[in-house]
């Protein structure tokens, strides 16, 4: 119900959220690994690309609509998978689902959501995909896959950049944990308890770090992508790719596509920016499979550049949480509307009437 806010863009939403959220929550969402070099560079890399716009192309009628994996999007974006959204607003993932539905785009639900898959599916009109890690206990992973299928998710997004967790010093400093009152209903039993416990000891004083060390499988390899392929009929996107050779391997092992991502700068610090990695990955894929990108998307021009560099759509992450923090579902919706309006403006000014008009020659 918040006051109408005069926030003009996604960056202003971040500043507003910083002023509202408790330190532990804001830092968990905003932060990156190590010196946060990749976090900053991933945002800046979009600014570094210059647009070679075209003129006199009749842009009086414009459409941003597209389809990804055969599923319709009002503009080429989905909400990125992000954990523990009730830390941003009491309505958490349900509010995000409502915002994404109203904006006509898709949402990828994190395994570490604070809302059950089934409830989010009910709140979501458009494509809902489920993000997955591979647990040491493959039975746990298999059960989640079956649950996502039963709930009607349209794809699985396997995060592969996190065999171990990046060291996020903000979380260590804040002794990050998920308050016991918050459900993590896609996990049951011991894993949930580990997340709630504020860990102690300077090295691992983040409950998420303890959780990951205990339950995720650092031995995962391409064989596990094949294993996942063998237990589901859903399309699988491999998320966390930054190289052409790995993108090709993903396709060879049965993935329907990849997400070029460095996990929002939260894993390997000084990793390549996604805007830089994207053209190499696009070239390696050569139009086979779905290609998405995330990391630092804050402006409509970033979306245009991502498409010009070969992406079918972008994932937008943190800004949605900032919208949630400012005004729940309405705030998240406003963030998505701002991004859509900026896309429309960028497309029009660049001489593109539709996503099909955006080609590599639009970037310098
Ligand atoms: C979870 O995936 C995180 O990046 O915190």
């Amino acid at each position: 119900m918040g006051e109408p806010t005069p926030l003009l863009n996604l960056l202003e939403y971040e500043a507003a959220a910083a002023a509202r959220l408790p330190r532990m929550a804001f830092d968990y969402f905003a932060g990156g690994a190590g010196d946060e070099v990749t976090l900053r560079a991933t945002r800046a890399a979009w600014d570094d690309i210059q647009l070679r716009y075209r003129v006199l192309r009749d842009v009086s009628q414009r459409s941003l609509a597209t389809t990804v994996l055969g599923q319709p999007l009002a503009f080429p974006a989905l909400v990125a998978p992000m954990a523990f959204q009730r830390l941003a607003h009491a309505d958490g993932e349900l509010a995000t689902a409502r915002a994404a539905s109203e904006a006509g785009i898709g949402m990828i639900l994190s395994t570490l959501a604070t809302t059950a898959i089934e409830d989010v599916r009910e709140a979501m009109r458009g494509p809902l995909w489920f993000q997955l890690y591979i647990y040491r206990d493959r039975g746990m992973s298999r059960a989640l896959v079956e649950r996502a299928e039963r709930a009607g998710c349209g794809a699985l997004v396997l995060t592969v950049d996190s065999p171990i967790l990046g060291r996020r010093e903000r979380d260590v400093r804040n002794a990050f944990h998920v308050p016991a009152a918050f459900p993590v209903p896609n996990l049951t039993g011991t894993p949930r308890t580990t997340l709630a416990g504020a860990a102690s000891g300077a090295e691992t004083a983040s409950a998420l770090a303890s959780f990951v060390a205990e339950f995720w499988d650092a031995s995962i390899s391409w064989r596990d992508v094949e294993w996942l392929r063998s237990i589901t009929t859903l399309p699988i996107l491999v998320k966390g790719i930054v190289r052409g050779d790995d993108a090709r391997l993903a396709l060879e092992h049965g993935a329907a596509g990849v997400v070029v991502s460095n996990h929002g700068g939260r894993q390997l610090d000084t990793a390549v920016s996604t805007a830089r990695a994207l053209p190499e990955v696009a070239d390696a894929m050569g139009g086979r499979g779905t290609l998405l990108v995330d990391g630092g998307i804050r402006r409509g021009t970033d979306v245009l550049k991502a498409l010009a560099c070969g992406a079918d759509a972008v994932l937008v992450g943190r800004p949605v949480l900032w919208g949630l923090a400012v005004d729940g579902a309405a705030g998240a919706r406003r963030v998505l509307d701002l991004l859509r309006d900026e896309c429309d403006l960028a497309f029009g000014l660049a001489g593109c009437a539709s996503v099909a008009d955006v080609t590599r020659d639009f970037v310098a």
Side-chain angles (χ1 to χ4, degrees):
M1 282 229 319
E3 301 279 297
T5 43
L7 302 172
L8 288 186
N9 59 55
L10 277 51
L11 301 161
E12 290 184 5
Y13 266 89
E14 172 161 3
R20 273 162 215 247
L21 286 175
R23 167 57 65 98
M24 184 189 79
F26 179 78
D27 275 355
Y28 169 66
F29 291 136
D35 293 311
E36 302 189 338
V37 172
T38 292
L39 177 69
R40 286 188 299 278
T42 296
R43 165 73 209 120
W46 297 112
D47 285 345
D48 288 345
I49 297 174
Q50 297 187 329
L51 283 163
R52 299 177 66 240
Y53 62 91
R54 303 205 66 171
V55 297
L56 301 174
R57 302 242 297 177
D58 185 357
V59 292
S60 57
Q61 306 291 323
R62 299 183 298 282
S63 166
L64 298 169
T66 191
T67 59
V68 173
L69 293 175
Q71 302 170 47
L73 303 174
F75 66 101
L78 297 101
V79 178
M82 293 173 292
F84 313 131
Q85 295 184 16
R86 286 198 205 202
L87 287 177
H89 187 276
D91 298 339
E93 293 82 3
L94 286 181
T96 302
R98 270 182 226 123
S101 296
E102 288 168 11
I105 64 168
M107 168 175 177
I108 306 176
L109 183 68
S110 166
T111 281
L112 298 176
T114 40
T115 311
I117 311 174
E118 297 78 9
D119 296 342
V120 179
R121 179 66 272 178
E122 218 159 279
M124 183 68 200
R125 280 201 299 274
L128 179 70
W129 302 346
F130 189 70
Q131 177 271 338
L132 200 65
Y133 295 104
I134 303 267
Y135 291 99
R136 289 173 195 233
D137 174 356
R138 294 293 189 278
M140 226 166 110
S141 295
R142 182 192 286 266
L144 265 178
V145 168
E146 288 169 0
R147 215 174 135 186
E149 284 178 341
R150 266 199 311 276
C153 293
L156 296 173
V157 179
L158 177 67
T159 302
V160 295
D161 55 23
S162 311
I164 48 184
L165 196 74
R167 190 159 186 277
R168 299 133 185 210
E169 293 177 9
R170 300 197 210 198
D171 294 346
V172 176
R173 199 172 295 119
N174 298 332
F176 175 79
H177 62 281
V178 182
F182 287 30
V184 188
N186 305 321
L187 293 176
T188 47
T190 329
R192 208 278 153 253
T193 318
T194 309
L195 279 170
S200 59
E203 287 309 307
T204 56
S206 153
L208 181 62
S210 310
F211 164 80
V212 169
E214 194 173 344
F215 294 101
W216 292 1
D217 192 347
S219 81
I220 62 164
S221 71
W222 290 109
R223 276 200 311 277
D224 293 289
V225 178
E226 281 178 17
W227 170 76
L228 184 60
R229 178 66 290 153
S230 76
I231 66 161
T232 183
T233 53
L234 290 176
I236 298 164
L237 297 178
V238 176
K239 175 170 177 284
I241 298 289
V242 294
R243 302 168 49 121
D245 48 6
D246 275 348
R248 244 183 266 119
L249 280 169
L251 296 179
E252 284 166 17
H253 287 84
V258 307
V259 183
V260 171
S261 174
N262 54 35
H263 209 121
R266 298 159 76 80
Q267 285 296 103
L268 177 66
D269 197 25
T270 73
V272 63
S273 309
T274 49
R276 289 220 182 156
L278 181 58
E280 173 189 330
V281 172
D283 288 344
M285 290 175 66
R288 294 168 299 146
T290 292
L291 177 53
L292 306 177
V293 64
D294 73 8
I297 301 281
R298 300 292 179 270
R299 289 287 189 184
T301 44
D302 301 338
V303 180
L304 178 65
K305 290 169 187 178
L307 265 55
C309 291
D312 297 304
V314 304
L315 307 186
V316 54
R318 292 179 178 98
V320 175
L321 299 175
W322 309 146
L324 280 187
V326 168
D327 198 14
R333 168 76 197 276
R334 168 118 170 102
V335 160
L336 295 175
D337 285 351
L338 282 168
L339 188 63
R340 190 223 31 237
D341 290 351
E342 286 190 16
C343 282
D344 180 55
L345 181 65
F347 272 58
L349 288 174
C352 299
S354 74
V355 297
D357 288 346
V358 185
T359 45
R360 181 75 70 89
D361 51 288
F362 279 81
V363 292

